[in-house]
Amino acid sequence: MSDDTLKVGYVTTHYPRNAQTFIAGEIDGVRAAGLEVACFAMNRPDQRELTVPGAQDRVAGTTYLKDRPLAAIGDALAIMLHHPIGMSRIAGAALASGGGSPGRTVRRLAHLVQAARVARAARAQGLRHLHAHFALAPATIAWFASRIMSLDGPPVGFSFTIHGFHDFVDPSETRLDLKARAAAAVVCVSDFTRGQLYLNSDPATWPRAHVIRCGIDLAAWQFVAPKRGDGAPTIVAIGRLSAEKGFGILIEAIASLDHVKLRIVGDGPERAALTALVDRLALTGRVTFVGELPPEQVRGELRTADIFCLPSFSEGLPVSIMEAMAAGVPVVTTWIAGIPELAVDGVTALTVPPARADALADALRRLADDPVLGGKLAAAARARVEQLHDQTSNGRTMAGLLRSLAA
């Protein structure tokens, strides 16, 4: 790239990560639109994620913030020596944002040290803007790093993307109010998440909110019209095994359906409880916990699925629904949060109230019994995904925003 190419930094929790392919996709889209991107991640990928094609190249170009902690502390101390007053003010703001909680205070100080490492590397690379994914630690680090960079040289702004449940469930931890006030822009993946931002921030900051939806690589998702065989329908669910995903309700729904199999792709803290529920309902032969899979194997699961189901209680707008729709798998989900912006009941999906195993079972039974309906929904869903969630198009939009912020 030429010397005058705009250079920006992305701050994330993990990179690359199988469960966050939307971040890698956005970075690819932004790069394809002509920007140079430097990546900063708090955590390294595990060995399983390193086997994904292209992962090693992504790792080679990423600075991992928890590596060499003594060097990061040295960065922070060096900046403090050169800018004692400025760094003292930033440290004071960091501590104040913790609200007096000992745990949050320790985390804020750790994020300040990591921000010093980002700031020094970003300044050395000539980065002109920082963008973070998720409003928790990554946005905190980008916020502090932008302030540190602005102590020595031209001001550098930051922005961040909010996604869903974890970004707004605990306002005292996320501090969307402070970050929205300090940020040049806040990107929301759905209209619903923009509403949550408005709920937790000063109206004066609302014009800084931009809805830019997550995109997927449509070329990687070949649409195959649904067709049912003679065997038992296979339902596939994909997501983190955590409370907000509602997988326990789905398992209860399966118990009331005959000749249906369920495959749950993902892992998380609720796995033991969900496994116990399967045992208690005598569904061991019908419900399979597949675990977390790399992208190609996720595509394989969807290729064999008759129905996709995500029974969430709280969401932003799940990428797993986009992927199922792109692949041609009819979707059953809940009518909560940002989901109805893509899953329109009776048009692109069947949607039901959350926490209603009976309603979920009825919708699954309806699709299992009516392949014509499934085909109609799948075709409309693919068109909707192409309209709203194309990685290339959305990457251009994101790149345009970053250009305007760095100008």
Side-chain angles (χ1 to χ4, degrees), residues 345-362:
D345 187 44
V347 179
T348 61
L350 296 184
T351 63
V352 301
R356 284 278 304 275
D358 58 335
L360 196 63
D362 287 344

Side-chain angles (χ1 to χ4, degrees), residues 167-316:
D167 282 335
F168 41 72
V169 66
D170 184 355
S172 62
E173 182 67 42
T174 308
R175 295 309 305 262
L176 279 173
D177 56 336
L178 297 178
K179 292 171 187 173
R181 191 179 308 144
V186 183
V187 175
C188 309
V189 300
S190 65
D191 292 316
F192 170 76
T193 53
R194 178 167 55 184
Q196 295 303 302
L197 174 67
Y198 284 11
L199 178 64
N200 290 285
S201 62
D202 186 332
T205 68
W206 292 358
R208 302 175 197 170
H210 303 262
V211 175
I212 302 178
R213 302 175 189 275
C214 291
I216 61 174
D217 182 3
L218 292 170
W221 293 95
Q222 180 182 4
F223 178 82
V224 178
K227 45 186 177 296
R228 279 284 314 281
D230 296 330
T234 297
I235 299 167
V236 169
I238 301 171
R240 188 168 185 263
L241 305 188
S242 50
E244 74 275 9
K245 296 296 183 180
F247 286 132
I249 297 297
L250 175 55
I251 291 168
E252 291 179 15
I254 295 299
S256 67
L257 298 172
D258 295 328
H259 310 300
V260 168
K261 295 180 179 180
L262 171 64
R263 293 175 64 81
I264 301 177
V265 179
D267 211 342
E270 293 292 307
R271 181 159 186 162
L274 294 171
T275 300
L277 177 61
V278 168
D279 292 341
R280 187 163 65 250
L281 296 176
L283 294 173
T284 303
R286 295 173 54 200
V287 177
T288 302
F289 291 95
V290 179
E292 190 172 315
L293 297 177
E296 182 52 46
Q297 292 183 41
V298 170
R299 285 191 283 272
E301 289 288 335
L302 289 172
R303 280 193 291 268
T304 62
D306 297 299
I307 300 169
F308 174 85
C309 185
L310 189 64
S312 292
F313 302 146
S314 180
E315 286 287 357

Side-chain angles (χ1 to χ4, degrees), residues 29 47 54 58 91 120 146 157 176 193 205 215 319 336 361 397:
Q47 289 301 313
R58 294 186 190 278
R120 296 199 93 182
S146 73
L176 279 173
T193 53
T205 68
V319 173
I336 56 95
T397 302

Side-chain angles (χ1 to χ4, degrees), residues 94-105 175:
L95 294 174
S97 72
S101 162
R104 280 197 294 272
T105 297
R175 295 309 305 262

Side-chain angles (χ1 to χ4, degrees), residues 18 23 38-39 80 151 167 172 179 271 288 339 346 348 363 366:
N18 291 337
I23 295 179
C39 296
M80 178 69 80
L151 294 175
D167 282 335
S172 62
K179 292 171 187 173
R271 181 159 186 162
T288 302
I339 289 178
T348 61
R366 183 181 171 194

